[in-house]
Amino acid sequence: MVGRDAETRLLAHTLSMARAGRGGAVFLVGEAGIGKTRLAGAGIEMALDADMRLLRGRGSTVGPTVPFRSITEALMSLLRADNSADISELGPYRPILGRLVPEWGPATLEPVPGSLVVLAEAVLRLTGLVGRDRGCLLVLDDLQNADAETLAIVEYLVDNLDGQPTAFIGVVRAEPCAALDLAHSATRRGSGKLIELGCLTEDDLRLLAAESLRCAPTQVPDQVVERLWADSGGNPFLAEELLDGMLDSGALIPGPDGWRVVDALRVNVPDAVARNLARRLDQLSPQTQD
């Protein structure tokens, strides 16, 4: 969470407003490894500390595309954590949600008809029901991988959160996709706020290294900070992996007066970074890969 004080305050304010019945949406946007999921996790911790109801799901590229995957996962997470809400209060919207959660559907094998708008309204009313008197947080990660049906529901939700006890956090990678277009359009309409996470500064990287090494910032060797800055460009995930590489190679060791550099600090591309890039390359077409 180094260097994210302003962003954390905005999330805290959004959650506070939701508990007061004035919900809102925040989109966390940035490159891979910039700390979007970690910041969303901080929002989740704040919500749990305030005893808010939590629903969370994520998009995925594993396997075939499943309509409503993120939303369904979020609803299931609510069921697993707390099944005390009286869903019957939703009236005719309960069987609509049965399209996603069989436990809430009618005692029949026949599918319940309904448009995406009606289903989105059912999800909105559910969050209002479970968040009544305590607030509710809905978090959807990796929205760049979400299906079109999920994004349609998200768009409806963020446009109708005012007057609801629901806060929404959407995590989107900064690359051309429908989810990023949705985040920008919601921001232009005033339905949501967009946080573009930038790279950390050199001073931030010193603090990040100090947290990882469990020492004072002044005890982090200048060579380490310079190398992290040169090789990571301020990306916290890459910086942490590079620091681990320095430790694993034995180039950075603890001493009686703090950490010291005993060998060249340049390290190979960390395996975790290589795997992450390989997964992203696999999603490209053969022509683009070439």
Side-chain angles (χ1 to χ4, degrees):
M1 298 304 299
V2 169
R4 306 301 187 204
D5 292 344
E7 295 85 348
T8 302
R9 287 194 296 270
L10 177 57
L11 290 184
H13 175 71
T14 302
L15 296 177
S16 175
M17 294 294 286
R19 291 194 299 273
R22 299 187 295 276
V26 176
F27 292 92
L28 307 180
V29 177
E31 66 182 51
I34 204 66
K36 304 181 298 297
T37 298
R38 187 169 296 183
L39 183 57
I44 290 173
E45 290 181 7
M46 288 187 284
L48 293 176
D49 288 343
D51 197 32
M52 297 176 69
R53 291 288 183 89
L54 174 65
L55 299 85
R56 53 181 166 181
R58 57 180 291 271
S60 175
T61 58
V62 177
T65 301
V66 179
F68 309 112
R69 183 198 189 281
S70 303
I71 295 292
T72 302
E73 183 177 343
L75 298 183
M76 292 294 191
S77 72
L78 174 66
L79 269 178
R80 289 193 299 270
D82 188 349
N83 200 18
S84 62
D86 185 3
I87 305 301
S88 64
E89 291 189 40
L90 294 176
Y93 288 98
R94 172 175 175 165
I96 298 297
L97 288 175
R99 296 175 60 185
L100 305 182
V101 182
E103 186 173 341
W104 294 338
T108 175
L109 296 178
E110 294 297 323
V112 177
S115 70
L116 276 177
V117 172
V118 176
L119 179 56
E121 177 66 21
V123 174
L124 179 66
R125 295 197 179 206
L126 173 67
T127 62
L129 172 64
V130 301
R132 189 167 55 195
D133 302 325
R134 60 195 296 189
C136 174
L137 172 62
L138 170 61
V139 179
L140 297 182
D141 200 351
D142 286 334
L143 276 177
Q144 72 278 355
N145 298 327
D147 54 278
E149 292 86 352
T150 292
L151 294 182
I153 291 180
V154 169
E155 183 178 45
Y156 184 90
L157 291 177
V158 299
D159 283 343
N160 293 278
L161 288 178
D162 188 32
Q164 297 290 323
T166 303
F168 171 79
I169 298 177
V171 180
V172 189
R173 187 176 296 160
E175 57 188 34
C177 62
L180 185 59
D181 293 340
L182 187 159
H184 283 294
S185 64
T187 303
R188 288 193 297 269
R189 293 193 304 273
S191 301
K193 296 181 180 179
L194 189 146
I195 297 178
E196 293 190 75
L197 295 180
C199 295
L200 301 181
T201 66
E202 193 167 356
D203 289 339
D204 290 336
L205 289 178
R206 179 179 293 277
L207 294 175
L208 183 71
E211 289 286 343
S212 297
L213 298 174
R214 298 183 181 181
C215 66
T218 54
Q219 293 180 306
V220 179
D222 291 340
Q223 304 100 299
V224 171
V225 178
E226 292 166 3
R227 177 52 55 195
L228 292 178
W229 175 246
D231 286 355
S232 76
N235 184 294
F237 168 69
L238 184 52
E240 289 177 337
E241 292 296 326
L242 290 168
L243 185 61
D244 287 343
M246 295 176 189
L247 295 171
D248 292 342
S249 67
L252 179 64
I253 63 172
D257 299 321
W259 292 88
R260 59 193 183 96
V261 176
V262 296
D263 201 354
L265 287 176
R266 183 173 294 279
V267 297
N268 295 326
V269 176
D271 290 342
V273 176
R275 288 194 297 269
N276 180 274
L277 291 173
R279 285 195 300 269
R280 295 171 65 187
L281 287 171
D282 286 342
Q283 299 173 28
L284 303 176
S285 68
Q287 182 178 2
T288 306
Q289 288 182 11
D290 290 341

